Amino acid sequence: MTTIKNKEQLISNGETRSDRKARALALESLEVALKAADPIQIIKSKLSLKNSTLRVNSYSFNLVKFKNIYVVGGGKATGAMAYALEQVVGKRITKGLVNVPHGTKSKTATIELHEASHPVPDESGVEGTRRMLEIAEQAEKDDLVICLISGGGSSLMPLPRNGISINDKKEITNALLKCGATINEFNTVRKHTSDFKGGWLAKKAYPATILNLILSDVVGDPVDSIASGPTVPDSTTFGDAVKVLEKYKLWDKTPASIQKVLCDGEKGLIPETPKAGDEAFKKVYNVIVGNNRLASLASCKHGKVKGLNTLLLTATLEGEARHVGTVLATIAREIVTSGNPVRKPACIVAGGEMTVTVTGKGKGGRNQEMALAAAMKIGGTDGVVIASLSTDGVDGPTDAAGAVMDGKTLAKASQLRLAPQRFLADNDSYNFFSKLGDLVLTGPTGTNVNDVSVIIVL
Amino acid sequence: MTTIKNKEQLISNGETRSDRKARALALESLEVALKAADPIQIIKSKLSLKNSTLRVNSYSFNLVKFKNIYVVGGGKATGAMAYALEQVVGKRITKGLVNVPHGTKSKTATIELHEASHPVPDESGVEGTRRMLEIAEQAEKDDLVICLISGGGSSLMPLPRNGISINDKKEITNALLKCGATINEFNTVRKHTSDFKGGWLAKKAYPATILNLILSDVVGDPVDSIASGPTVPDSTTFGDAVKVLEKYKLWDKTPASIQKVLCDGEKGLIPETPKAGDEAFKKVYNVIVGNNRLASLASCKHGKVKGLNTLLLTATLEGEARHVGTVLATIAREIVTSGNPVRKPACIVAGGEMTVTVTGKGKGGRNQEMALAAAMKIGGTDGVVIASLSTDGVDGPTDAAGAVMDGKTLAKASQLRLAPQRFLADNDSYNFFSKLGDLVLTGPTGTNVNDVSVIIVL
């Protein structure tokens, strides 16, 4: 289980007993969030097998009725998910293959862990995905296909359509990444240039039953977005995909093989992605087993157990990190001043995915920048802490997961002759917190449900 | 009492019954906030006179003990405050003069309303302030000086020190406004070039008792900042004022008369502003009678009366308006999705002062831009409304106080072929909401406790 490696150090950095207590509570809350986002923990706690009945959320499957159980999937956490699934379903699994990033350490018995490249797809990814499709096509009416999906699934499960090469796919991927297209626009193109995404996996596995277990890394858990929805009806068309490329003036630069597929699609020469109402989706169960909300709620619950008045502010937080920091700081100040939105001792949790618009040359991440901006608005208070981390353990291009600040951070920075506004202007939050010894360090966690921020006011 | 002039129109703009109901609740909440920020309402509800005892907050003054009651002050709301004060204290007032903006319509019996210029000070302002100082100096040990302060007080009560002309003062004011100095830096210079601000009024009125009634327009109500604290000890020095001018490279451009005052001050040739511990402050009572928190809490209370689950998120909200809008939208979404931070039907209020960094050429204001950004994050929901306004009735350089959005705003904009992201990129929120008919119109309200935003989820 991932822990905050320098937790004791971070706690002892608190100047007063109250600051240390608030730091301890904030960091413990974040550790609880990490635990709730742990793939093994999630699969083991969400899935249960009793008397041959597999239960997950409100669904139950009588495994006796299934002849074979196949496992497919892909994502950064699917190695661990596959390991845990074997712990639950055990020997009932007939056969399985999931694509995992190079260097995945999980050990499995039946399910093959096929290593592939992330975030830029490779031939090995294509090979693994092709074999998954073979497994899906092999599945019959009385078989169950369990699909494991987590963040990174889109890159780890590439299967370019009709003669598109992996290099062409890489080219358009890079162009779309740079042009400022939204994730939905990106996925519209992805789905129409893939034999796996946009519902095709479900179509190919039909008439088998599909149980899709999703560890969501997309704010709001849109199932058609996560890994580009291989088991979810697609609401977009070939025409939409062409429009996206035209909108960003990419059509002329689009590889000919991709232009051909999209034009053939528009002309009806090749089939559209499966749509809502397609009988292929009648026996598909898409289940979110882990997401930011579950992690954030676990943080809240820990606060409550510790006797704090808790609130989950949001689990779909978005916004520029520094302004989110300002807003969270004003909420912390309000608790101090007026006992709103909750009375002290308080614990407020906000989860989601912040953004940073980089204009400086410094080093930092979303969570560190949020904490820096918050620190600039909370000076001189006692027992007020804001701590924030990226649940994958890697906040921006740094070796820190996030940072922690309290009401003394400004004064300490001043003693060290550090000007917070300069670090913020240069997007240099890492070096600011590094000098204060207030970076939160976890190492890569093997999961991702985005960011969790905790406010503690004692 | 100020009302939202187009309330019925804004309510009927709601597409469904639930949207209309949510709009009505949001707009009523904002009207309640305006009422709670109304100067007449505030003075009448906060001050009471019974058996010759004047009570305000936790203080009480036996008026029988005072020989004279003098009234001084300045600010955009002080005409109305003076009117209401006469309603409470009546004929006990010996004499009074407050500086008010040109065109103030209040009628008073004893207290002279002296018109002056805002936001750029003028000679008339100087004359009125000089006469207030005469009144203060006339006050004896057994007299009470009631000082009325509201937003705009700094500009409306100019009294340049030792031979500084009003033109020199204007020059340095304009330079400081443009250079990006913080309000505290600005006030450091203001206090050291004034015979009235930075505690001087209290010093001159000593040994009279001073009751300072403050309608705060500064986030967090720092009494030494509001109108540059004429009755509050100053913690800054002549040296600090010089440093501010040097920091922004303004010293060489500073008028000679101001340079002389600051240099004389540094050499100890003229006295420093009165400091904490000065006996002049022993009989000074600074009372915040109105502020954003009172207005925001009134909004909340109205929500509660209407059966909603309410939260005051903060009354010291800061941050770039568009990102605040995103954050408030994610909270609204969370209520819809998970019933956090409160269950539906919900009313969440956030008060404070947002900022807009203008980069486009459009027309808009803080509250309108916040609502536009929020609309972009809430699509397709029913009964979800965010409404926001500037309590002075003038949001940015527009004739609107703010705007209202709901879950249908995006779809309506799409029907009208309006691209929200373009309006946002051009800081053109006014024209966006104007086309939708969703601008909130109140006209100037004669008060200012900054911004109030209300989220309603039914």
Side-chain angles (χ1 to χ4, degrees):
Chain A
M1 197 72 66
T2 308
T3 53
I4 294 171
K5 290 175 187 172
N6 58 338
K7 188 168 71 167
E8 294 311 317
Q9 181 60 47
L10 291 170
I11 294 170
S12 68
N13 275 357
E15 203 174 278
T16 63
R17 181 186 287 190
S18 181
D19 286 337
R20 288 189 290 276
K21 194 175 167 194
R23 280 171 174 254
L25 287 164
L27 297 169
E28 283 163 17
S29 277
L30 290 179
E31 282 186 329
V32 168
L34 289 175
K35 190 175 168 189
D38 182 86
I40 295 175
Q41 183 73 18
I42 284 173
I43 295 293
K44 286 192 178 174
S45 65
K46 287 276 172 178
L47 271 69
S48 70
L49 185 66
K50 268 185 199 166
N51 305 327
S52 290
T53 298
L54 177 67
R55 288 182 200 277
V56 51
N57 287 8
S58 56
Y59 300 113
S60 58
F61 302 87
N62 184 350
L63 297 193
V64 174
K65 291 186 176 169
F66 296 107
K67 198 169 155 195
N68 298 294
I69 297 179
Y70 298 112
V71 180
V72 296
K76 287 190 280 179
T78 46
M81 289 169 84
Y83 164 83
L85 184 68
E86 287 189 350
Q87 305 292 308
V88 179
V89 185
K91 292 172 185 172
R92 283 297 324 266
I93 298 167
T94 313
K95 187 179 179 180
L97 182 148
V98 296
N99 278 3
V100 298
H102 291 293
T104 295
K105 282 171 192 149
S106 298
K107 295 273 174 247
T108 47
T110 317
I111 304 165
E112 181 182 345
L113 302 186
H114 182 86
E115 295 197 356
S117 170
H118 171 83
V120 180
D122 65 359
E123 276 298 346
S124 174
V126 175
E127 193 209 321
T129 312
R130 187 167 291 131
R131 286 178 55 200
M132 285 183 225
L133 218 51
E134 285 167 18
I135 292 172
E137 281 169 341
Q138 187 184 338
E140 304 282 345
K141 196 181 173 189
D142 50 0
D143 291 338
L144 173 65
V145 177
I146 300 178
C147 182
L148 306 175
I149 297 279
S150 74
S154 279
S155 325
L156 284 165
M157 294 187 289
L159 193 55
R161 198 159 176 179
N162 296 25
I164 299 173
S165 72
I166 188 74
N167 280 331
D168 289 349
K169 192 104 190 212
K170 278 186 203 172
E171 204 177 314
I172 199 70
T173 300
N174 282 326
L176 282 165
L177 280 172
K178 282 179 196 160
C179 73
T182 67
I183 186 70
N184 284 332
E185 291 171 333
F186 201 156
N187 285 340
T188 299
V189 177
R190 272 173 162 165
K191 290 174 180 179
H192 286 90
T193 53
S194 170
D195 271 334
F196 192 80
K197 302 180 167 104
W200 281 119
L201 172 63
K203 187 79 180 171
K204 306 285 169 70
Y206 182 79
T209 298
I210 300 181
L211 172 58
N212 191 19
L213 303 175
I214 307 166
L215 175 50
S216 165
D217 71 332
V218 183
V219 164
D221 313 326
V223 286
D224 61 336
S225 264
I226 305 164
S228 298
T231 64
V232 184
D234 178 27
S235 59
T236 65
T237 65
F238 280 105
D240 293 332
V242 172
K243 274 182 206 150
V244 168
L245 295 170
E246 283 172 345
K247 176 176 173 185
Y248 293 100
K249 302 194 180 2
L250 294 175
W251 181 255
D252 294 338
K253 298 171 203 160
T254 301
S257 63
I258 293 178
Q259 286 184 343
K260 184 173 188 309
V261 163
L262 297 181
C263 288
D264 284 356
E266 272 199 301
K267 288 177 202 155
L269 299 176
I270 56 173
E272 252 297 351
T273 48
K275 301 300 175 212
D278 193 308
E279 57 183 356
F281 299 111
K282 277 190 185 157
K283 286 160 72 188
V284 174
Y285 303 88
N286 292 307
V287 183
I288 304 282
V289 289
N291 62 5
N292 186 283
R293 182 167 293 112
L294 291 166
S296 293
L297 280 171
S299 265
C300 264
K301 196 174 167 190
H302 179 262
K304 202 165 195 175
V305 167
K306 292 290 179 177
L308 307 176
N309 300 310
T310 62
L311 274 188
L312 172 67
L313 202 58
T314 177
T316 64
L317 183 65
E318 295 180 66
E320 183 75 16
R322 64 184 61 201
H323 296 289
V324 171
T326 301
V327 173
L328 295 189
T330 70
I331 296 172
R333 290 195 308 213
E334 193 66 31
I335 300 171
V336 174
T337 310
S338 79
N340 286 297
V342 284
R343 290 218 181 85
K344 303 191 286 186
C347 167
I348 293 193
V349 179
E353 187 172 24
M354 297 176 282
T355 45
V356 167
T357 308
V358 177
T359 54
K361 292 176 179 169
K363 187 175 176 182
R366 306 178 301 275
N367 293 274
Q368 295 162 65
E369 192 154 309
M370 189 284 281
L372 171 53
M376 289 168 66
K377 291 289 175 188
I378 301 182
T381 52
D382 195 40
V384 178
V385 164
I386 298 181
S388 189
L389 56 67
S390 176
T391 53
D392 65 359
V394 182
D395 188 36
T398 75
D399 60 1
V404 58
M405 59 123 294
D406 63 27
K408 315 297 160 53
T409 297
L410 267 193
K412 276 189 220 167
S414 173
Q415 279 166 19
L416 297 170
R417 295 177 177 275
L418 309 173
Q421 65 275 18
R422 287 195 198 152
F423 285 88
L424 187 61
D426 204 27
N427 299 111
D428 203 20
S429 50
Y430 179 88
N431 284 311
F432 179 83
F433 284 111
S434 172
K435 289 185 168 72
L436 290 170
D438 278 341
L439 289 169
V440 173
L441 304 172
T442 62
T445 62
T447 188
N448 187 20
V449 294
N450 306 119
D451 307 323
V452 179
S453 309
V454 176
I455 304 170
I456 300 285
V457 180
L458 299 182
Chain B
M1 197 73 65
T2 309
T3 53
I4 294 170
K5 291 176 187 171
N6 58 337
K7 189 168 72 168
E8 294 313 315
Q9 181 60 47
L10 291 170
I11 293 170
S12 67
N13 275 356
E15 203 174 280
T16 64
R17 182 186 287 193
S18 181
D19 286 337
R20 288 190 290 275
K21 194 175 167 195
R23 280 172 173 253
L25 286 164
L27 297 169
E28 282 164 17
S29 277
L30 290 179
E31 282 186 328
V32 168
L34 289 175
K35 191 175 167 188
D38 182 85
I40 296 175
Q41 183 72 20
I42 284 172
I43 295 294
K44 285 192 180 173
S45 66
K46 287 276 172 177
L47 270 68
S48 70
L49 185 66
K50 269 185 196 165
N51 305 327
S52 290
T53 299
L54 178 68
R55 289 181 201 279
V56 50
N57 287 9
S58 57
Y59 300 113
S60 58
F61 303 86
N62 183 349
L63 297 193
V64 174
K65 290 185 177 171
F66 295 108
K67 200 169 152 193
N68 298 294
I69 296 179
Y70 297 112
V71 180
V72 296
K76 286 190 277 180
T78 46
M81 289 170 85
Y83 164 83
L85 184 67
E86 287 189 350
Q87 307 290 308
V88 179
V89 185
K91 293 173 185 173
R92 282 298 324 265
I93 297 167
T94 312
K95 188 179 177 179
L97 182 148
V98 296
N99 279 2
V100 297
H102 290 294
T104 294
K105 281 174 194 148
S106 297
K107 294 274 176 245
T108 48
T110 317
I111 304 165
E112 182 183 343
L113 301 186
H114 182 86
E115 296 197 356
S117 169
H118 170 83
V120 180
D122 65 359
E123 276 298 343
S124 175
V126 175
E127 193 209 320
T129 312
R130 186 167 291 133
R131 287 179 55 199
M132 284 183 223
L133 218 51
E134 284 167 18
I135 293 173
E137 280 169 342
Q138 186 184 339
E140 303 283 343
K141 197 181 171 187
D142 49 1
D143 290 339
L144 173 65
V145 178
I146 299 179
C147 182
L148 305 175
I149 297 279
S150 76
S154 279
S155 326
L156 284 165
M157 294 186 287
L159 193 54
R161 199 161 175 176
N162 296 25
I164 298 172
S165 71
I166 189 76
N167 280 330
D168 288 351
K169 192 103 190 217
K170 279 186 202 172
E171 203 177 315
I172 199 70
T173 300
N174 282 326
L176 282 164
L177 280 173
K178 283 178 196 159
C179 73
T182 67
I183 185 69
N184 284 332
E185 291 171 333
F186 201 156
N187 285 341
T188 300
V189 176
R190 271 173 163 166
K191 289 175 180 179
H192 286 90
T193 53
S194 169
D195 271 333
F196 192 80
K197 301 178 168 109
W200 281 120
L201 172 63
K203 187 78 180 171
K204 305 285 169 69
Y206 181 78
T209 298
I210 300 181
L211 171 58
N212 190 19
L213 303 175
I214 307 167
L215 175 50
S216 165
D217 71 332
V218 183
V219 164
D221 313 325
V223 285
D224 60 336
S225 264
I226 305 165
S228 299
T231 63
V232 185
D234 179 27
S235 59
T236 65
T237 65
F238 280 105
D240 293 332
V242 172
K243 273 183 206 150
V244 168
L245 295 170
E246 284 172 344
K247 177 177 172 187
Y248 293 101
K249 302 195 182 357
L250 294 176
W251 181 255
D252 293 337
K253 298 172 205 160
T254 301
S257 63
I258 293 179
Q259 286 185 342
K260 184 173 187 310
V261 163
L262 297 180
C263 288
D264 284 356
E266 271 198 301
K267 289 176 197 156
L269 299 177
I270 55 171
E272 252 296 353
T273 49
K275 301 300 176 211
D278 193 308
E279 58 182 355
F281 299 111
K282 277 189 182 157
K283 285 159 74 187
V284 174
Y285 303 87
N286 292 306
V287 183
I288 304 281
V289 289
N291 62 6
N292 186 283
R293 181 167 295 112
L294 291 167
S296 294
L297 281 171
S299 265
C300 264
K301 198 175 166 189
H302 179 262
K304 202 165 195 175
V305 167
K306 292 289 180 176
L308 307 175
N309 301 308
T310 62
L311 272 187
L312 172 68
L313 202 59
T314 177
T316 65
L317 183 64
E318 294 180 66
E320 184 74 17
R322 63 184 61 200
H323 297 289
V324 172
T326 302
V327 173
L328 295 189
T330 70
I331 296 172
R333 290 196 307 214
E334 192 67 31
I335 299 170
V336 174
T337 312
S338 80
N340 286 297
V342 284
R343 289 218 182 86
K344 303 192 286 187
C347 167
I348 294 193
V349 179
E353 188 173 23
M354 299 176 280
T355 46
V356 167
T357 308
V358 178
T359 54
K361 291 176 180 169
K363 188 175 174 181
R366 307 177 301 276
N367 293 274
Q368 295 162 64
E369 191 154 309
M370 189 284 281
L372 172 53
M376 289 167 67
K377 292 289 175 188
I378 301 182
T381 52
D382 195 39
V384 177
V385 164
I386 298 182
S388 189
L389 55 68
S390 176
T391 52
D392 65 0
V394 182
D395 189 35
T398 76
D399 60 2
V404 57
M405 58 124 292
D406 64 26
K408 315 297 161 52
T409 297
L410 267 193
K412 276 188 220 167
S414 174
Q415 278 166 19
L416 297 170
R417 297 179 177 273
L418 309 173
Q421 64 276 17
R422 288 195 196 151
F423 285 86
L424 188 61
D426 204 26
N427 298 111
D428 203 20
S429 50
Y430 178 88
N431 284 311
F432 179 82
F433 285 111
S434 173
K435 289 185 169 74
L436 290 170
D438 277 341
L439 290 170
V440 173
L441 305 171
T442 61
T445 62
T447 189
N448 187 20
V449 295
N450 306 121
D451 306 323
V452 178
S453 308
V454 176
I455 304 171
I456 301 285
V457 180
L458 298 182

